[in-house]
Amino acid sequence: MYRPTALLLAMSALASQAQAETLSYTLDPNHTFPSFEADHMGLSLWRGKFNRSKGKATLDRAAGTGTLEVTIDLASVDFGLDAMNKWARGKDFFDSKRYPAATYKGRFADFREGAPTKVAGELTLHGVTRPVELTMNGFKCIPHPMLKREYCGTDATASFNRADFGLDMGKDYGFRMEVMLRIQAEAVADK
């Protein structure tokens, strides 16, 4: 028995799938800087950043889905003070020869008007993997003026307890273990 309604529904479903498109993006290493704030004996906050990171993302705004994967070169830590950078790369903290990279893998979540507001994911640091949720404090895409491809950017934040990752140096001296992440990131569509 021929059912035009069933055929129309099937065609409508195919048309919807064609409209929803997952785009792939590459993080722009010249416009992406994971930075952090960490306590110094309760007296002040030390701020630093990582100068080298790379990553990929996928995004389907119509479907409200996407993924993010970022790798951070721990040897690129930069406090603006050479002695502190050298110490942080060493065995007493990041031990960047043994653990050269931190990685973050997650899924975009809580879409509002086609833009994600969170990333539910996991951070691997110092050989330990734990859940860390990023809050996206803004998300915008525009046509890149020179590349003529979509260009997206965000400012994201998160916090975590560094002792959970085996980075508990200073705890016995009263250092607070909470680290605040601030990540500015921009990515360009691959096509």
Side-chain angles (χ1 to χ4, degrees), residues 137-163:
N137 302 310
F139 183 88
K140 181 178 179 179
C141 296
I142 63 170
H144 192 285
M146 292 173 282
L147 299 175
K148 307 301 181 201
R149 290 181 278 169
E150 189 169 63
Y151 197 54
C152 300
T154 188
D155 176 60
T157 56
S159 65
F160 66 90
N161 183 322
R162 65 182 172 90

Side-chain angles (χ1 to χ4, degrees), residues 116-133:
T117 63
K118 296 185 183 302
V119 183
E122 292 184 325
L123 174 65
T124 300
L125 175 64
H126 209 246
V128 178
T129 302
R130 298 262 189 258
V132 172
E133 181 177 272

Side-chain angles (χ1 to χ4, degrees), residues 45-61:
L45 288 176
W46 277 81
R47 291 178 177 89
K49 65 178 183 169
F50 295 97
N51 291 322
R52 289 186 300 274
S53 60
K54 61 184 179 180
K56 299 290 278 180
T58 63
L59 181 64
D60 184 334
R61 282 181 275 176

Side-chain angles (χ1 to χ4, degrees), residues 80-126:
L81 178 63
D82 289 340
M84 187 67 150
N85 299 343
K86 182 178 177 181
W87 173 84
R89 288 189 298 264
K91 290 182 181 179
D92 291 333
F93 204 65
F94 287 130
D95 196 0
S96 63
K97 286 188 179 178
R98 186 172 174 198
Y99 305 104
T103 59
Y104 184 81
K105 296 178 183 180
R107 296 197 167 281
F108 292 119
D110 197 19
F111 279 70
R112 295 186 188 153
E113 297 179 16
T117 63
K118 296 185 183 302
V119 183
E122 292 184 325
L123 174 65
T124 300
L125 175 64
H126 209 246

